[in-house]
Amino acid sequence: MATEHHDHPKGLMRWLTTTNHKDIGTLYLIFAFVMALIGGTMSLLIRAELFEPGMQILQPNTFNEMTTLHALIMIFGFVMPAFTGLANWQIPLMLGAPDMALPRMNNWSFWILPFAATLLILSMFAPGGGPAAGWTLYPPLSVQQGMGVDFTILSIHLLGISSILGSINIIATILNMRAPGLTLMKMPMFVWGWFITAFLLIASLPVLAGAVTMLLTDRHFGTHFFNAAGGGDPVLFQHVFWFFGHPEVYILVLPAFGVFSVIIPTFARKPIFGYTSMVFAMATIAFLSFIVWAHHMYTVGMPMAGELFFMYSTMLIAVPTGVKVFNWVSTMWRGSMTFETPMLWAIGGVFVFTIGGLSGLMLSITPADFQYHDTYFVVAHFHYVIIGGSVFGLFGAIYYWLPKWTGHMYKEGLGKLHFWLTMIGFNMTFFPQHFLGLAGMPRRIPDYALQFTGFNQISSIAAFCTIAAQLIFFYLAFKAIKGGEKATDQVWEGAEGLEWTVPSPAPYHTFETAPAIK
């Protein structure tokens, strides 16, 4: 099945022109972690400024630029490309396919990204300053600010084109390239997670593209969609934006749900509990994510019936999410559990995401949301959801598949140290922010009242420790790429799936003859 006999290009041209899914997956992962370093540095500037009341190191407008760009870079530059990198590496290997269905388009999808990211970062230096209206780009601020907003809008368009091309490729690969006998309901859960995510991307990203294009015409072509001075409605932008924005949360989370559903059975040495219900739960979450957008906007002044609809529909998402958490726990129940690094990340991710889900239920209650809205409680909530639901899954996936990719094992002790330092540091950074929010500290402000100092200082010190802990990960990844203890083909005792039937490292060309699935 696996062959090494074909030559493949070397040097720079290999990476510029490659259509190989493994090379492109590697490029996506490298790009994502470079962007994570940039976005992470911005978060440290934010936390340094918030270490104590008063203005220390950033001007207020620069602080707002940092919060805006940190969010945009982490979502569109780090988490989404990193999971696309995983998809490129793993989906063909898991399906028994030789490559992605549309390899040339795969190359284009990636190479759009560096240009989009450059535009986004250059927006800070544009005349009139960078975007400082928050990652949501709410009017009227985004209509009035300088050229940096135009750079950002163009960057969002390019990032969206890249994501949609990637999604089309993933859907085409899954529908057309599966090994004979591998039916949809036999696919690994990671592939299912991406299959549903790809449809979410195609359905939601054009809505964001429409919203920011209308913003652009308001800024330069005299339209007044959102400009109240000309009869427009800024709240309309919020409706259109969040119709994209809420599914986006699940675009970030569903691939990680797939990762948890692959790692937990491996280290519990049991099949996933309730496979079919897991698939339908993911599809239900994806559907419901489109009908809950206005829970971000309770305070704009909606009719009572609208608020009730969005409150109950939001709460409904807890049902399929609860099914998934129940099934993960049931898979572990009475399993022969071991706690290697990928398993720690998976269990940690489920734990942290569940805390984020519970604070999400609190936010879904309309009258209570009036207290939480635009406070640090919301900041704590979405970091628990996105870091627990996405970034923990991402680290778990990389530790799980790194030996298969490189052919070398990483240092298990250092991997566990990376997990525990991140877990403790993350919780010390964001858990106090729940209390800050409940006490009334607003988000997106560079200065604050004296009584919030203690929790902010804990949060800032922990943030620096958490980011420092990530150096262990970069060291481990670099060491595994360079050499070290040889990994076996199977790597993990309980691992099942086609990717474990090829040698470690996975050969440049795999599955030129489709494997048979019984």
Side-chain angles (χ1 to χ4, degrees):
M1 288 186 291
T3 55
E4 273 283 35
H5 62 273
H6 287 292
D7 289 333
H8 54 82
K10 307 276 187 195
L12 181 64
M13 287 312 286
R14 166 182 172 184
W15 298 103
L16 288 176
T17 61
T18 183
T19 54
N20 183 287
H21 71 98
K22 301 183 188 74
D23 282 353
I24 293 175
T26 305
L27 286 171
Y28 266 110
L29 288 169
I30 292 171
F31 170 83
F33 280 100
V34 169
M35 295 303 285
L37 286 175
I38 297 170
T41 306
M42 289 176 173
S43 73
L44 291 185
L45 287 172
I46 294 166
R47 285 313 324 170
E49 177 58 53
L50 292 174
F51 185 72
E52 55 185 30
M55 301 306 299
Q56 272 70 240
I57 56 173
L58 297 176
Q59 293 300 313
N61 194 58
T62 314
F63 181 89
N64 287 339
E65 286 175 19
M66 288 296 111
T67 54
T68 303
L69 288 171
H70 163 71
L72 288 169
I73 287 173
M74 285 310 209
I75 292 170
F76 294 109
F78 170 42
V79 176
M80 287 171 70
F83 276 113
T84 312
L86 288 182
N88 264 286
W89 252 103
Q90 286 307 128
I91 288 178
L93 282 180
M94 291 175 135
L95 296 180
D99 207 317
M100 299 293 279
L102 305 160
R104 179 57 62 192
M105 194 167 88
N106 207 11
N107 177 287
W108 297 344
S109 305
F110 172 75
W111 281 110
I112 291 171
L113 280 184
F115 296 100
T118 307
L119 265 178
L120 192 56
I121 292 164
L122 284 180
S123 69
M124 278 190 292
F125 308 103
W135 82 282
T136 51
L137 300 175
Y138 277 176
L141 278 177
S142 56
V143 175
Q144 296 162 351
Q145 288 176 348
M147 270 180 66
V149 176
D150 300 321
F151 279 44
T152 307
I153 290 172
L154 187 53
S155 170
I156 288 172
H157 277 135
L158 290 173
L159 291 164
I161 291 168
S162 167
S163 291
I164 287 180
L165 292 179
S167 303
I168 292 168
N169 211 347
I170 285 169
I171 292 170
T173 305
I174 292 172
L175 291 180
N176 296 302
M177 306 281 283
R178 298 192 310 278
L182 185 63
T183 61
L184 286 177
M185 292 310 284
K186 286 183 182 173
M187 289 197 307
M189 288 300 297
F190 176 71
V191 182
W192 261 114
W194 249 113
F195 192 44
I196 294 168
T197 302
F199 282 104
L200 273 181
L201 278 161
I202 290 174
S204 67
L205 275 175
V207 179
L208 174 66
V212 293
T213 307
M214 289 157 80
L215 196 59
L216 196 66
T217 61
D218 268 13
R219 285 171 57 79
H220 296 294
F221 299 102
T223 58
H224 298 286
F225 294 113
F226 311 126
N227 190 352
D233 183 2
V235 174
L236 171 65
F237 180 87
Q238 298 188 25
H239 280 293
V240 181
F241 178 87
W242 285 113
F243 188 79
F244 148 81
H246 200 78
E248 172 66 18
V249 175
Y250 294 96
I251 287 167
L252 302 176
V253 166
L254 286 180
F257 282 3
V259 169
F260 298 151
S261 305
V262 169
I263 292 176
I264 289 173
T266 298
F267 295 99
R269 292 167 181 78
K270 279 173 65 185
I272 188 80
F273 179 86
Y275 174 94
T276 308
S277 64
M278 293 289 260
V279 172
F280 281 100
M282 274 203 280
T284 308
I285 289 169
F287 170 74
L288 290 176
S289 72
F290 279 106
I291 58 167
V292 299
W293 76 89
H295 69 212
H296 294 270
M297 306 161 51
Y298 288 144
T299 54
V300 301
M302 266 188 285
M304 177 71 83
E307 290 185 341
L308 284 174
F309 170 79
F310 287 107
M311 180 170 84
Y312 287 124
S313 58
T314 303
M315 288 178 172
L316 207 57
I317 290 192
V319 176
T321 309
V323 168
K324 297 198 71 68
V325 174
F326 176 80
N327 285 9
W328 288 322
V329 173
S330 300
T331 305
M332 289 187 265
W333 177 252
R334 294 188 173 177
S336 300
M337 303 260 288
T338 52
F339 297 93
E340 286 86 343
T341 308
M343 185 63 161
L344 291 178
W345 284 105
I347 296 174
V350 173
F351 173 73
V352 169
F353 177 79
T354 304
I355 294 176
L358 292 174
S359 60
L361 268 179
M362 293 167 72
L363 283 162
S364 72
I365 301 168
T366 310
D369 182 77
F370 279 75
Q371 183 188 352
Y372 307 135
H373 189 77
D374 264 348
T375 69
Y376 260 83
F377 189 88
V378 179
V379 178
H381 159 70
F382 68 69
H383 278 92
Y384 266 83
V385 168
I386 293 177
I387 294 184
S390 299
V391 180
F392 275 47
L394 186 62
F395 280 127
I398 292 175
Y399 280 108
Y400 186 60
W401 285 310
L402 192 64
K404 176 57 62 183
W405 299 343
T406 64
H408 301 113
M409 294 301 293
Y410 56 85
K411 296 282 184 195
E412 188 64 41
L414 282 177
K416 287 180 177 170
L417 181 68
H418 173 217
F419 167 77
W420 284 113
L421 289 177
T422 308
M423 185 72 173
I424 294 166
F426 164 79
N427 279 291
M428 286 184 68
T429 305
F430 292 105
F431 206 78
Q433 294 181 10
H434 290 109
F435 305 123
L436 285 172
L438 288 173
M441 179 172 163
R443 62 195 284 206
R444 295 174 177 149
I445 46 111
D447 190 10
Y448 52 82
L450 201 61
Q451 68 266 28
F452 301 130
T453 309
F455 280 135
N456 267 302
Q457 290 187 337
I458 294 170
S459 200
S460 292
I461 293 168
F464 275 85
C465 295
T466 310
I467 298 274
Q470 306 318 306
L471 296 176
I472 300 172
F473 168 75
F474 287 110
Y475 170 77
L476 284 177
F478 179 74
K479 287 287 284 181
I481 293 166
K482 297 298 284 181
E485 183 192 343
K486 286 290 292 175
T488 60
D489 295 354
Q490 174 78 10
V491 183
W492 310 110
E493 182 193 334
E496 290 185 5
L498 289 172
E499 74 265 40
W500 309 110
T501 63
V502 299
S504 300
Y508 196 66
H509 298 286
T510 42
F511 300 119
E512 291 195 337
T513 307
I517 309 292
K518 293 177 183 172

